[in-house]
Amino acid sequence: MAGASDKARFYLEKSVPELQELIQKKIFTKDEVSSVAKKRSGFEHKLNARGSTASDYARYAEYEMNLDALRRTRAKRLGIKTTSYTGQRRIFFVLDRATRKFHGDTALWMLYLSFARKQKANKKVAQIITSMLRLQPTNPDLWIYAANYAWEERADVTETRGYMQRGLRFCSNSKNLWSEYLKLEMIYIAKILARRRILGLNSDPLQRASIQDDDDFGQDLITLPPVTSEDIGSENTIAESIRPMMTKGKDASTQALAGAIPIAIFDAAMKRFPEDPTFGAQLFDCVAAFHELGCVKRILQHMVRFLMRATSTDAVTLKCFIHEPLVGVTAASTLLPKALVEVLDRFQLAMQKIDSLKGPLQQITIRGIVSRHTILWIVTYLEYLELDPDIRAVLSAMLKTAWGHCLQSLETRSTTSGDETIALLDTLHLHGFKDLVQQGVTSALTFWPDEPRLLALRNEVTKLNPTQ
């Protein structure tokens, strides 16, 4: 205990000049300074004794933050512009000690980073991030945090990409890290294309590749930063995939803006998770969210081809396969009829692939999952009041066909989620398909006879259809 007391006394003595200045400049009274010294003494003895916890450090840091805020408020009110001592250095010192002792406590690192960013201490933030990642390299959330900071605060895509790629060396099993990396590259493409539109340059790399280049075209080209093997890691499978894009110039930029890097990331991710179509569908949805970009179509087509080769009879694969032609096509678009024809063909092909499965129960289950997803996107188009009557009729017929598969899945007890069933029935009820809702409620009540939401839905449908 003597050692702990000596250490606590040493830290307290270092703060004496600061407390004296607070009294001299009349920011705090003597009694208030005595109270501060007593409070600090209690914290220091607790921290330097055995059994101190991360929460002890957090409370100490929070106390110093509040004290420094009070000091700045009073100094501003008294017209004191500067003081020789600030609370920032002491707070950093407390949090640095905390993270050294409890380097595995993520909450302490986040508290440290949050304070440093609030103080706009950019060099300190960089040091903290480096230390944090060195001590916790297998935590994917920290790599994502570092990448987001580099992107949002520093606008440095090279640094951001570096964090993501180094993170994948240590956390190659993190699906969230793969997904965030893919999202980063899509955001970067969107940013570059938006900049090209502002500058009046041709923003469609697919069209530009087919046009004869002018002699001075390279002068106006905004090239992407080169991606090197050192940035990616020689053992990372992405390196081999994007090697053709490592050279500078318009060809590399054209490939990158056409979606070559997201495709390489997807391929590397699926090699890491070769039998996980659900993860593939997650990456599909991530890219589909950027449907306004011209390269998205090409990327999604590549994803669907990959998934269909790997798991052509999986429910989530078939959902992506059916829905892909409609990504980015709105109800008011002139492309809707053509896309809808392709969707109908794919829906029929999907049902044929499901029929090839062994086991009737498995067929019914997968049909039900695929059909439920189909119904959910159909109703989004039916909400458009000015939808062409012929298209509305086709969508309504397709919805009823899909509902038949859902109902069969429900009646054979292959539907496992009551919440999903009720949500689907609510959607159909909202869009006026009362007969279908009544059929579904009747079947669902055989499984969940006391479910209040189903009973309420049955009462609503009965009021609207008193003859049934």
Side-chain angles (χ1 to χ4, degrees):
M1 291 301 294
S5 297
D6 291 343
K7 192 178 293 186
R9 182 181 295 276
F10 171 74
Y11 289 139
L12 290 171
E13 287 177 352
K14 291 178 67 176
S15 68
V16 169
E18 172 196 352
L19 298 177
Q20 290 176 341
E21 184 187 43
L22 293 176
I23 296 174
Q24 291 172 359
K25 294 191 174 183
K26 298 182 180 180
I27 297 176
F28 289 155
T29 64
K30 289 184 178 181
D31 291 340
E32 288 174 332
V33 168
S34 297
S35 177
V36 169
K38 184 177 180 181
K39 194 74 173 178
R40 284 179 175 175
S41 177
F43 279 121
E44 288 293 348
H45 280 85
K46 184 177 292 186
L47 264 54
N48 289 285
R50 291 183 180 180
S52 60
T53 63
S55 59
D56 293 331
Y57 282 93
R59 283 194 292 269
Y60 190 11
E62 184 179 359
Y63 171 76
E64 291 293 344
M65 290 177 192
N66 293 334
L67 180 64
D68 187 56
L70 179 61
R71 179 195 63 78
R72 285 187 280 105
T73 300
R74 290 190 178 182
K76 183 178 180 180
R77 187 180 63 194
L78 295 172
I80 301 173
K81 295 183 179 180
T82 59
T83 57
S84 302
Y85 301 91
T86 63
Q88 183 189 94
R89 181 181 300 178
R90 186 171 188 84
I91 296 167
F92 281 153
F93 179 60
V94 172
L95 290 172
D96 186 62
R97 291 161 60 192
T99 51
R100 287 177 183 273
K101 185 171 184 179
F102 300 98
H103 55 78
D105 193 310
T106 305
L108 278 178
W109 286 108
M110 291 298 104
L111 179 62
Y112 199 177
L113 283 166
S114 175
F115 177 74
R117 292 180 68 173
K118 187 177 180 180
Q119 298 296 310
K120 301 187 184 302
N122 295 327
K123 290 185 179 179
K124 190 67 176 179
V125 172
Q127 294 173 1
I128 297 170
I129 289 176
T130 300
S131 300
M132 176 181 68
L133 295 178
R134 185 182 295 119
L135 293 170
Q136 296 193 60
T138 57
N139 188 334
D141 292 335
L142 299 185
W143 290 104
I144 294 172
Y145 179 94
N148 285 337
Y149 170 76
W151 177 257
E152 295 172 1
E153 300 294 333
R154 299 171 62 87
D156 189 337
V157 69
T158 303
E159 183 181 0
T160 304
R161 186 180 283 136
Y163 280 128
M164 287 293 189
Q165 292 166 354
R166 290 199 300 273
L168 286 171
R169 296 181 192 174
F170 296 98
C171 314
S172 59
N173 290 327
S174 173
K175 296 178 181 179
N176 189 35
L177 189 57
W178 283 105
S179 179
E180 288 295 322
Y181 185 24
L182 180 62
K183 182 179 178 181
L184 160 71
E185 294 295 350
M186 294 303 300
I187 292 174
Y188 185 61
I189 291 174
K191 185 175 181 179
I192 291 297
L193 292 179
R195 184 181 299 172
R196 293 186 64 83
R197 282 194 294 270
I198 293 173
L199 295 176
L201 301 176
N202 183 9
S203 61
D204 190 342
L206 299 178
Q207 292 179 1
R208 186 171 68 251
S210 63
I211 299 175
Q212 181 67 31
D213 295 329
D214 296 329
D215 293 338
D216 60 344
F217 181 79
Q219 299 177 4
D220 297 329
L221 184 66
I222 300 177
T223 58
L224 292 173
V227 183
T228 64
S229 297
E230 184 179 355
D231 293 330
I232 299 169
S234 58
E235 298 180 359
N236 198 312
T237 55
I238 306 178
E240 297 180 0
S241 302
I242 66 175
R243 196 175 302 280
M245 292 174 285
M246 292 181 184
T247 58
K248 297 181 180 180
K250 61 186 178 226
D251 293 336
S253 181
T254 298
Q255 291 182 50
L257 293 179
I261 294 179
I263 288 174
I265 294 171
F266 173 79
D267 289 343
M270 296 313 296
K271 286 180 182 178
R272 189 68 188 84
F273 304 95
E275 298 180 359
D276 193 344
T278 301
F279 178 52
Q282 178 184 336
L283 297 179
F284 178 94
D285 293 337
C286 178
V287 174
F290 297 86
H291 55 80
E292 295 181 356
L293 302 180
C295 63
V296 166
K297 201 71 174 176
R298 178 190 176 210
I299 300 172
L300 294 181
Q301 288 173 352
H302 175 85
M303 289 180 164
V304 168
R305 283 195 299 268
F306 184 97
L307 292 173
M308 289 297 288
R309 285 196 303 267
T311 53
S312 62
T313 56
D314 187 87
V316 293
T317 295
L318 292 174
K319 288 193 298 184
C320 297
F321 173 67
I322 295 171
H323 188 238
E324 183 262 319
L326 287 173
V327 172
V329 180
T330 64
S333 174
T334 57
L335 301 175
L336 180 59
K338 181 181 178 180
L340 191 55
V341 170
E342 187 173 355
V343 166
L344 289 170
D345 292 340
R346 292 192 179 196
F347 183 79
Q348 294 176 357
L349 181 59
M351 295 300 112
Q352 293 174 6
K353 287 185 174 293
I354 294 172
D355 290 338
S356 67
L357 293 172
K358 295 181 180 180
L361 187 59
Q362 186 182 12
Q363 295 176 7
I364 293 172
T365 301
I366 296 179
R367 278 200 207 97
I369 296 173
V370 173
S371 297
R372 184 178 67 83
H373 179 268
T374 300
I375 290 173
L376 292 177
W377 66 254
I378 285 177
V379 296
T380 61
Y381 286 92
L382 293 177
E383 290 175 348
Y384 185 57
L385 299 178
E386 299 180 4
L387 187 66
D388 182 89
D390 293 334
I391 294 179
R392 184 178 295 276
V394 171
L395 288 173
S396 297
M398 187 177 181
L399 184 147
K400 291 180 180 179
T401 301
W403 172 247
H405 296 309
C406 290
L407 190 61
Q408 186 181 23
S409 174
L410 183 61
E411 291 173 347
T412 55
R413 296 176 179 254
S414 59
T415 297
T416 57
S417 175
D419 290 335
E420 289 183 352
T421 300
I422 295 171
L424 182 59
L425 290 170
D426 284 334
T427 301
L428 291 173
H429 178 255
L430 181 65
H431 290 84
F433 293 94
K434 312 302 179 185
D435 295 339
L436 304 184
V437 173
Q438 192 166 28
Q439 294 174 0
V441 169
T442 302
S443 297
L445 283 173
T446 61
F447 299 100
W448 307 286
D450 299 324
E451 172 56 51
R453 291 174 293 176
L454 285 174
L455 295 173
L457 196 56
R458 183 184 63 178
N459 293 336
E460 291 183 25
V461 174
T462 303
K463 291 178 182 178
L464 295 172
N465 301 278
T467 60
Q468 299 182 6

